[in-house]
Amino acid sequence: MADSSEMTQLAQRIELLLLRYEELQRTCNLQTQQIAALTQERDSLKSRLSAARARVDALLDRLPQT
């Protein structure tokens, strides 16, 4: 059976692993939020680009044909 020192070391390692796991969970949650924000920004920019293209096309249609 493991002695007291080995049990203490094992307990410390488990505590460190739990802390690391919690840190990774927080990081993952932050990255998920960032992805959602960037996805929303991308969709907004795509919509603005589409509207700008439509305006440019409308202006081009108004130019006289030569």
Side-chain angles (χ1 to χ4, degrees):
M1 185 169 165
D3 64 8
S4 174
S5 175
E6 290 175 343
M7 293 296 275
T8 301
Q9 288 177 353
L10 182 58
Q12 289 173 342
R13 289 180 69 192
I14 290 171
E15 284 296 320
L16 288 174
L17 284 172
L18 288 172
L19 289 172
R20 182 67 176 139
Y21 174 74
E22 290 170 356
E23 179 184 327
L24 288 172
Q25 277 188 315
R26 283 191 300 274
T27 300
C28 182
N29 289 336
L30 286 172
Q31 289 176 338
T32 299
Q33 291 172 2
Q34 288 175 336
I35 288 170
L38 290 171
T39 299
Q40 184 177 8
E41 182 181 3
R42 180 206 61 202
D43 292 346
S44 174
L45 290 171
K46 285 171 72 175
S47 176
R48 289 174 57 196
L49 176 61
S50 178
R53 280 186 177 149
R55 287 192 304 271
V56 167
D57 288 341
L59 289 173
L60 289 175
D61 288 341
R62 291 174 52 191
L63 289 176
Q65 299 285 331
T66 58

